[in-house]
Amino acid sequence: KAGVTQTPRYLIKTRGQQVTLSCSPISGHRSVSWYQQTPGQGLQFLFEYFSETQRNKGNFPGRFSGRQFSNSRSEMNVSTLELGDSALYLCASSLAGTDLTGELFFGEGSRLTVL
Amino acid sequence: AQTVTQSQPEMSVQEAETVTLSCTYDTSESNYYLFWYKQPPSRQMILVIRQEAYKQQNATENRFSVNFQKAAKSFSLKISDSQLGDTAMYFCAFRKAAGNKLTFGGGTRVLVKP
């Protein structure tokens, strides 16, 4: 069974540009969450999608957005990139919907560098 | 809001020895889940062990065990018979009973020395 797949794995952008990251969850998983990992702030929750609906949102500016498609694949977008957006962006999928004990399975992440 | 604190930024341990990682958390929730995740260098994060707050018995997974003290809001991880492959960042995480949002601690880097 394939794991959580994130693309691209590495990318470099310049300030002011925008970026789209993609996440394909494990087959059958309907919940996808996104996290930002930086040395200074650690791991911070961005948002969670379940059945194409945003179910939860972290404390990030509106430049950070996401969506989920009918096949459960998810994308996140960051517009008007800032240097501080440089981070490892992790996607995690879960089988759980209303099931409260679903384990999160993480992808390898997309490492974004903003110059 | 929940907070998770890991007070040990880095720990080293000799192969085959035991190491204990500390984690404290703050919440007003009565039902929740606690986790330890392992993130090896340049590799994906994987779940090490999970504890349901309503269970008094401490969780155990092979060489990994936890000491869950609900009243003290403490959740430590013990790694027994440490192996070189245990070298990684370890994150303590909290999740409410509802939803999939994890609140992570700052992490503890564990280095297992041969």
Side-chain angles (χ1 to χ4, degrees):
Chain A
K1 198 173 190 180
V4 178
T5 303
Q6 293 188 244
T7 56
R9 291 290 315 282
Y10 303 90
L11 65 166
I12 300 174
K13 294 285 187 178
T14 56
R15 279 179 298 175
Q17 287 186 312
Q18 75 166 14
V19 66
T20 299
L21 308 178
S22 179
C23 172
S24 293
I26 292 172
S27 178
H29 286 196
R30 296 166 64 191
S31 168
V32 174
S33 305
W34 289 89
Y35 292 82
Q36 182 196 63
Q37 185 175 20
T38 61
Q41 299 298 317
L43 280 152
Q44 293 186 287
F45 172 79
L46 281 156
F47 26 64
E48 181 204 1
Y49 287 87
F50 177 76
S51 292
E52 302 180 64
T53 300
Q54 188 180 86
R55 189 159 68 171
N56 211 339
K57 189 177 190 305
N59 189 25
F60 278 81
R63 300 185 296 108
F64 292 80
S65 62
R67 59 179 175 169
Q68 186 180 34
F69 301 95
S70 58
N71 62 357
S72 293
R73 188 177 71 86
S74 177
E75 289 181 347
M76 67 162 283
N77 183 275
V78 188
S79 61
T80 319
L81 285 166
E82 300 176 0
L83 295 179
D85 297 333
S86 294
L88 180 66
Y89 290 88
L90 295 173
C91 169
S93 77
S94 170
L95 184 60
T98 54
D99 176 354
L100 304 177
T101 60
E103 178 182 343
L104 291 184
F105 293 85
F106 284 84
E108 293 185 320
S110 292
R111 184 166 295 281
L112 170 66
T113 301
V114 182
L115 302 177
Chain B
Q2 287 66 233
T3 59
V4 179
T5 303
Q6 294 178 244
S7 58
Q8 306 148 314
E10 191 165 326
M11 299 189 74
S12 65
V13 59
Q14 292 296 132
E15 198 174 6
E17 296 293 309
T18 295
V19 63
T20 299
L21 282 56
S22 300
C23 173
T24 58
Y25 60 95
D26 189 26
T27 184
S28 58
E29 302 284 326
S30 58
N31 194 20
Y32 50 87
Y33 299 86
L34 295 166
F35 306 86
W36 280 98
Y37 279 89
K38 169 185 177 182
Q39 188 178 39
S42 301
R43 292 181 62 187
Q44 66 201 102
M45 187 136 40
I46 58 173
L47 178 65
V48 174
I49 198 165
R50 173 176 71 192
Q51 176 79 44
E52 291 86 348
Y54 62 86
K55 290 186 178 179
Q56 292 189 337
Q57 187 173 6
N58 289 323
T60 299
E61 287 288 342
N62 301 314
R63 299 182 294 107
F64 298 88
S65 61
V66 298
N67 184 1
F68 174 48
Q69 301 290 328
K70 190 172 183 178
K73 295 181 181 175
S74 170
F75 183 60
S76 62
L77 174 70
K78 184 170 78 171
I79 306 174
S80 304
D81 185 26
S82 296
Q83 300 176 359
L84 297 178
D86 295 335
T87 292
M89 282 290 289
Y90 287 81
F91 293 95
C92 178
F94 171 99
R95 196 190 82 188
K96 288 184 184 179
N100 280 323
K101 175 185 175 181
L102 290 174
T103 300
F104 286 92
T108 297
R109 187 178 306 277
V110 173
L111 175 63
V112 180
K113 298 179 178 179

